[in-house]
Amino acid sequence: MQGETTPEDGAENLSLQIAAAVELLSMIAALDEDADIVDNGATFTIEGITVTLVFDVRADRMRLISGITSDEGLGQAQLHRLMQANFDSALDARYAIAQGTVWSTFIHPLSSLTQDDFISGIAQTVTLVKTFGTTFTSGAFVFGGGDSNGELQKLLMEMLQDGEEI
């Protein structure tokens, strides 16, 4: 029957996901020769930012995470700004809070992850860390319809009024 899967299909999919995971680890080793590679992921450094990759081939998922700061002392305004950024300026990466930490994270299925997706995910994860507290963006684009463009304009005006370099 169409749409039915066989045990062979499941084994083939698992093999593809294992191959994808191995490819991710190879890319990380090429990006950071000092990366700490383990069975289900790796910890590596990009532009001075520590990033951890974890994956589960059986669940067909991968996740990049990078800790930003403690969630202690985050005010309502900053939490509100994180949610705004998740809507329009964080793009494919996201801000998250877990275990008392604010994180930058990128989550994707292993089976459809391309090399370009992975490199973009790393770049967005690192950029979210770097822009936390200022522009809250993971890249050059802002998805329309949100509040971030207005927030960025306010930030630029404040910087100009304070005589800061842009």
Side-chain angles (χ1 to χ4, degrees):
M1 280 193 188
Q2 190 175 6
E4 229 176 272
T5 59
T6 66
E8 292 81 20
D9 293 335
E12 183 178 324
N13 287 342
L14 185 58
S15 293
L16 291 173
Q17 291 155 2
I18 290 169
V22 168
E23 178 65 20
L24 296 181
L25 295 176
S26 296
M27 284 190 280
I28 287 171
L31 290 170
D32 179 2
E33 64 185 30
D34 296 323
D36 182 19
I37 296 176
V38 296
D39 290 343
N40 67 333
T43 298
F44 56 103
T45 303
I46 299 290
E47 298 180 17
I49 306 291
T50 300
V51 180
T52 299
L53 162 71
V54 291
F55 56 79
D56 182 338
V57 294
R58 294 197 183 280
D60 188 28
R61 301 303 286 179
M62 61 75 62
R63 179 178 298 214
L64 292 166
I65 59 172
S66 185
I68 299 172
T69 190
S70 169
D71 68 355
E72 259 186 62
L74 283 182
Q76 184 66 30
Q78 202 163 33
L79 287 170
H80 184 82
R81 185 67 194 104
L82 290 177
M83 293 298 96
Q84 287 174 320
N86 277 350
F87 183 82
D88 60 11
S89 62
L91 303 178
D92 299 323
R94 292 285 183 264
Y95 288 109
I97 297 175
Q99 301 173 351
T101 301
V102 177
W103 301 88
S104 172
T105 185
F106 172 83
I107 303 165
H108 203 285
L110 272 173
S111 60
S112 61
L113 185 72
T114 66
Q115 184 175 7
D116 287 346
D117 292 336
F118 186 61
I119 298 301
S120 176
I122 292 170
Q124 289 185 50
T125 301
V126 168
T127 303
L128 273 185
V129 172
K130 289 182 168 188
T131 63
F132 176 82
T134 58
T135 60
F136 296 92
T137 180
S138 66
F141 300 106
V142 174
F143 184 77
D147 300 321
S148 289
N149 278 332
E151 294 298 320
L152 291 173
Q153 287 176 350
K154 284 184 209 173
L155 176 65
L156 287 172
M157 291 304 292
E158 289 171 12
M159 290 174 74
L160 286 171
Q161 288 172 350
D162 294 342
E164 293 180 39
E165 215 173 285
I166 298 176

